[in-house]
Amino acid sequence: MLSGISPGAGQPAELKLHAVYSVKARTALEATPPKLEAAEQAYKTLAALAPKDPEVRVSLARILSARGSDKEATLTWKEARDLSPKDPEPHRELAELYWRAGKRKPALEEMRSAIALAPDDLALRRRLIRALLAADDIPGALTEIDKAWQKRADDATIEALLVQAKLRQ
């Protein structure tokens, strides 16, 4: 996707640069072991070439997260979220980063945003239920358990989470 490259006289050169850095990034990621630093640099160049391309931001954010660069990953996931507001992945990943940083309220907000965009994602709903239980929001956890139960009543994990919630009531 080249949505960040505007049409104009310089476009062919920009397209060539984009292609070169796309190949560099993929090659670095496919190496054994992956060369995350090289991939990060290539994706940063791609981000400069295509500033409105959410896929480039998502790829860069994944690499930053894998490298443990949580602060920079958070900023990049926010950019990806803003560029592609209907994609649940940036919300889900921001929730994880916020949770690890001890920022419970924004983590829960991002999880809820992700679920609003992907209501059938049972793994995401389980993650929210666990987070609500960890935050001692038992009524919120029970509400989410009920929603999960409606999607899949035979899920053993949801049943176990229900037992945990009931024991803590």
Short mmCIF file of all heavy atoms in Angstrom, two decimals, residues 13-45:
data_model
loop_
_atom_site.label_atom_id
_atom_site.label_comp_id
_atom_site.label_asym_id
_atom_site.label_seq_id
_atom_site.Cartn_x
_atom_site.Cartn_y
_atom_site.Cartn_z
N ALA A 13 10.71 8.00 -8.54
CA ALA A 13 11.88 7.82 -7.67
C ALA A 13 11.44 7.38 -6.28
O ALA A 13 12.06 6.50 -5.68
CB ALA A 13 12.68 9.12 -7.59
N GLU A 14 10.34 7.96 -5.78
CA GLU A 14 9.84 7.57 -4.47
C GLU A 14 9.38 6.12 -4.49
O GLU A 14 9.60 5.38 -3.53
CB GLU A 14 8.69 8.48 -4.04
CG GLU A 14 9.14 9.88 -3.66
CD GLU A 14 7.98 10.79 -3.31
OE1 GLU A 14 6.84 10.31 -3.22
OE2 GLU A 14 8.23 11.98 -3.11
N LEU A 15 8.74 5.70 -5.58
CA LEU A 15 8.30 4.32 -5.69
C LEU A 15 9.49 3.37 -5.69
O LEU A 15 9.44 2.31 -5.06
CB LEU A 15 7.45 4.11 -6.95
CG LEU A 15 6.04 4.67 -6.89
CD1 LEU A 15 5.37 4.55 -8.25
CD2 LEU A 15 5.22 3.98 -5.83
N LYS A 16 10.56 3.74 -6.37
CA LYS A 16 11.76 2.90 -6.39
C LYS A 16 12.35 2.80 -4.98
O LYS A 16 12.72 1.72 -4.54
CB LYS A 16 12.79 3.45 -7.37
CG LYS A 16 12.43 3.23 -8.82
CD LYS A 16 13.49 3.82 -9.73
CE LYS A 16 13.03 3.73 -11.17
NZ LYS A 16 13.96 4.41 -12.08
N LEU A 17 12.44 3.94 -4.30
CA LEU A 17 12.96 3.92 -2.94
C LEU A 17 12.07 3.07 -2.03
O LEU A 17 12.55 2.29 -1.21
CB LEU A 17 13.04 5.34 -2.37
CG LEU A 17 14.27 6.14 -2.75
CD1 LEU A 17 14.13 7.57 -2.23
CD2 LEU A 17 15.53 5.50 -2.19
N HIS A 18 10.77 3.23 -2.19
CA HIS A 18 9.83 2.44 -1.40
C HIS A 18 10.06 0.95 -1.64
O HIS A 18 10.13 0.16 -0.69
CB HIS A 18 8.39 2.83 -1.75
CG HIS A 18 7.37 2.26 -0.83
ND1 HIS A 18 6.92 0.97 -0.95
CD2 HIS A 18 6.71 2.80 0.22
CE1 HIS A 18 6.02 0.74 -0.01
NE2 HIS A 18 5.87 1.84 0.71
N ALA A 19 10.21 0.56 -2.89
CA ALA A 19 10.45 -0.84 -3.22
C ALA A 19 11.76 -1.34 -2.64
O ALA A 19 11.83 -2.44 -2.08
CB ALA A 19 10.44 -1.03 -4.75
N VAL A 20 12.79 -0.54 -2.72
CA VAL A 20 14.10 -0.93 -2.19
C VAL A 20 14.01 -1.16 -0.69
O VAL A 20 14.47 -2.19 -0.17
CB VAL A 20 15.18 0.14 -2.52
CG1 VAL A 20 16.44 -0.08 -1.69
CG2 VAL A 20 15.49 0.13 -4.00
N TYR A 21 13.41 -0.23 0.03
CA TYR A 21 13.33 -0.37 1.48
C TYR A 21 12.35 -1.45 1.90
O TYR A 21 12.51 -2.08 2.94
CB TYR A 21 13.05 0.98 2.15
CG TYR A 21 14.31 1.79 2.21
CD1 TYR A 21 14.58 2.76 1.25
CD2 TYR A 21 15.27 1.54 3.18
CE1 TYR A 21 15.78 3.48 1.27
CE2 TYR A 21 16.46 2.25 3.21
CZ TYR A 21 16.71 3.20 2.26
OH TYR A 21 17.89 3.90 2.29
N SER A 22 11.33 -1.71 1.09
CA SER A 22 10.42 -2.83 1.38
C SER A 22 11.18 -4.14 1.31
O SER A 22 11.03 -5.01 2.17
CB SER A 22 9.26 -2.86 0.38
OG SER A 22 8.41 -1.77 0.58
N VAL A 23 12.00 -4.29 0.28
CA VAL A 23 12.80 -5.51 0.13
C VAL A 23 13.81 -5.62 1.27
O VAL A 23 13.99 -6.69 1.86
CB VAL A 23 13.51 -5.54 -1.24
CG1 VAL A 23 14.53 -6.66 -1.32
CG2 VAL A 23 12.48 -5.70 -2.36
N LYS A 24 14.47 -4.52 1.62
CA LYS A 24 15.43 -4.53 2.73
C LYS A 24 14.75 -4.97 4.02
O LYS A 24 15.29 -5.78 4.78
CB LYS A 24 16.06 -3.15 2.93
CG LYS A 24 17.16 -2.82 1.96
CD LYS A 24 17.79 -1.50 2.35
CE LYS A 24 18.97 -1.20 1.45
NZ LYS A 24 19.77 -0.09 1.94
N ALA A 25 13.58 -4.42 4.28
CA ALA A 25 12.87 -4.74 5.52
C ALA A 25 12.48 -6.21 5.54
O ALA A 25 12.71 -6.91 6.53
CB ALA A 25 11.63 -3.86 5.65
N ARG A 26 11.90 -6.71 4.45
CA ARG A 26 11.49 -8.12 4.40
C ARG A 26 12.68 -9.06 4.51
O ARG A 26 12.63 -10.07 5.19
CB ARG A 26 10.70 -8.39 3.12
CG ARG A 26 9.25 -8.04 3.29
CD ARG A 26 8.41 -8.51 2.13
NE ARG A 26 7.73 -7.33 1.65
CZ ARG A 26 7.84 -6.80 0.45
NH1 ARG A 26 8.56 -7.37 -0.46
NH2 ARG A 26 7.20 -5.71 0.14
N THR A 27 13.77 -8.71 3.83
CA THR A 27 14.98 -9.54 3.89
C THR A 27 15.51 -9.62 5.32
O THR A 27 15.88 -10.69 5.80
CB THR A 27 16.06 -8.99 2.94
OG1 THR A 27 15.52 -8.95 1.62
CG2 THR A 27 17.31 -9.84 2.96
N ALA A 28 15.52 -8.50 6.00
CA ALA A 28 16.01 -8.47 7.39
C ALA A 28 15.11 -9.31 8.30
O ALA A 28 15.60 -10.03 9.17
CB ALA A 28 16.09 -7.04 7.89
N LEU A 29 13.81 -9.26 8.07
CA LEU A 29 12.88 -10.02 8.91
C LEU A 29 12.94 -11.51 8.61
O LEU A 29 12.71 -12.33 9.49
CB LEU A 29 11.45 -9.51 8.73
CG LEU A 29 11.15 -8.16 9.35
CD1 LEU A 29 9.74 -7.71 8.98
CD2 LEU A 29 11.31 -8.21 10.86
N GLU A 30 13.24 -11.88 7.37
CA GLU A 30 13.27 -13.28 6.99
C GLU A 30 14.61 -13.95 7.28
O GLU A 30 14.74 -15.16 7.14
CB GLU A 30 12.91 -13.42 5.51
CG GLU A 30 11.45 -13.07 5.25
CD GLU A 30 11.10 -12.96 3.77
OE1 GLU A 30 11.99 -13.16 2.91
OE2 GLU A 30 9.94 -12.65 3.48
N ALA A 31 15.60 -13.17 7.70
CA ALA A 31 16.90 -13.74 8.04
C ALA A 31 16.75 -14.63 9.27
O ALA A 31 15.83 -14.50 10.05
CB ALA A 31 17.90 -12.63 8.32
N THR A 32 17.70 -15.55 9.43
CA THR A 32 17.69 -16.43 10.59
C THR A 32 18.95 -16.20 11.39
O THR A 32 20.02 -16.52 10.91
CB THR A 32 17.61 -17.91 10.16
OG1 THR A 32 16.50 -18.06 9.29
CG2 THR A 32 17.45 -18.83 11.35
N PRO A 33 18.87 -15.64 12.58
CA PRO A 33 17.69 -15.05 13.21
C PRO A 33 17.34 -13.72 12.54
O PRO A 33 18.17 -13.14 11.85
CB PRO A 33 18.14 -14.84 14.66
CG PRO A 33 19.61 -14.65 14.57
CD PRO A 33 20.07 -15.51 13.42
N PRO A 34 16.11 -13.23 12.75
CA PRO A 34 15.72 -11.97 12.13
C PRO A 34 16.64 -10.82 12.55
O PRO A 34 17.08 -10.75 13.69
CB PRO A 34 14.30 -11.73 12.65
CG PRO A 34 13.82 -13.05 13.09
CD PRO A 34 15.04 -13.82 13.54
N LYS A 35 16.93 -9.96 11.62
CA LYS A 35 17.78 -8.79 11.88
C LYS A 35 16.85 -7.60 12.15
O LYS A 35 16.58 -6.79 11.28
CB LYS A 35 18.69 -8.53 10.69
CG LYS A 35 19.65 -9.68 10.44
CD LYS A 35 20.51 -9.43 9.22
CE LYS A 35 21.45 -10.60 9.01
NZ LYS A 35 22.25 -10.44 7.80
N LEU A 36 16.38 -7.56 13.39
CA LEU A 36 15.36 -6.57 13.75
C LEU A 36 15.86 -5.14 13.63
O LEU A 36 15.11 -4.25 13.24
CB LEU A 36 14.83 -6.84 15.16
CG LEU A 36 14.08 -8.16 15.33
CD1 LEU A 36 13.63 -8.32 16.78
CD2 LEU A 36 12.88 -8.23 14.40
N GLU A 37 17.12 -4.90 13.96
CA GLU A 37 17.64 -3.54 13.88
C GLU A 37 17.64 -3.05 12.43
O GLU A 37 17.22 -1.93 12.14
CB GLU A 37 19.05 -3.47 14.46
CG GLU A 37 19.56 -2.05 14.56
CD GLU A 37 20.91 -1.96 15.28
OE1 GLU A 37 21.29 -2.91 15.99
OE2 GLU A 37 21.56 -0.92 15.11
N ALA A 38 18.07 -3.91 11.51
CA ALA A 38 18.07 -3.54 10.08
C ALA A 38 16.65 -3.36 9.57
O ALA A 38 16.36 -2.42 8.81
CB ALA A 38 18.80 -4.61 9.26
N ALA A 39 15.74 -4.22 10.00
CA ALA A 39 14.34 -4.10 9.59
C ALA A 39 13.74 -2.81 10.15
O ALA A 39 13.01 -2.10 9.45
CB ALA A 39 13.53 -5.30 10.08
N GLU A 40 14.07 -2.49 11.40
CA GLU A 40 13.58 -1.26 12.00
C GLU A 40 14.02 -0.04 11.19
O GLU A 40 13.22 0.85 10.89
CB GLU A 40 14.09 -1.14 13.44
CG GLU A 40 13.68 0.15 14.12
CD GLU A 40 14.27 0.30 15.51
OE1 GLU A 40 14.59 -0.72 16.16
OE2 GLU A 40 14.42 1.45 15.95
N GLN A 41 15.29 0.01 10.83
CA GLN A 41 15.80 1.14 10.06
C GLN A 41 15.11 1.23 8.69
O GLN A 41 14.76 2.32 8.22
CB GLN A 41 17.32 1.05 9.91
CG GLN A 41 18.07 1.27 11.22
CD GLN A 41 17.61 2.52 11.96
OE1 GLN A 41 17.50 3.60 11.41
NE2 GLN A 41 17.31 2.36 13.24
N ALA A 42 14.92 0.08 8.05
CA ALA A 42 14.26 0.08 6.74
C ALA A 42 12.81 0.57 6.87
O ALA A 42 12.34 1.38 6.05
CB ALA A 42 14.29 -1.33 6.14
N TYR A 43 12.10 0.11 7.90
CA TYR A 43 10.72 0.56 8.08
C TYR A 43 10.63 2.03 8.49
O TYR A 43 9.68 2.72 8.13
CB TYR A 43 9.96 -0.33 9.07
CG TYR A 43 9.38 -1.55 8.38
CD1 TYR A 43 9.87 -2.81 8.65
CD2 TYR A 43 8.35 -1.42 7.45
CE1 TYR A 43 9.35 -3.93 8.01
CE2 TYR A 43 7.83 -2.53 6.81
CZ TYR A 43 8.33 -3.78 7.09
OH TYR A 43 7.81 -4.88 6.45
N LYS A 44 11.62 2.53 9.20
CA LYS A 44 11.62 3.96 9.53
C LYS A 44 11.79 4.78 8.25
O LYS A 44 11.15 5.83 8.10
CB LYS A 44 12.72 4.28 10.54
CG LYS A 44 12.34 3.86 11.94
CD LYS A 44 13.42 4.22 12.94
CE LYS A 44 12.95 3.88 14.36
NZ LYS A 44 13.95 4.21 15.37
N THR A 45 12.61 4.30 7.35
CA THR A 45 12.77 4.98 6.06
C THR A 45 11.47 4.90 5.27
O THR A 45 11.02 5.91 4.69
CB THR A 45 13.94 4.36 5.26
OG1 THR A 45 15.13 4.48 6.03
CG2 THR A 45 14.11 5.06 3.92
#
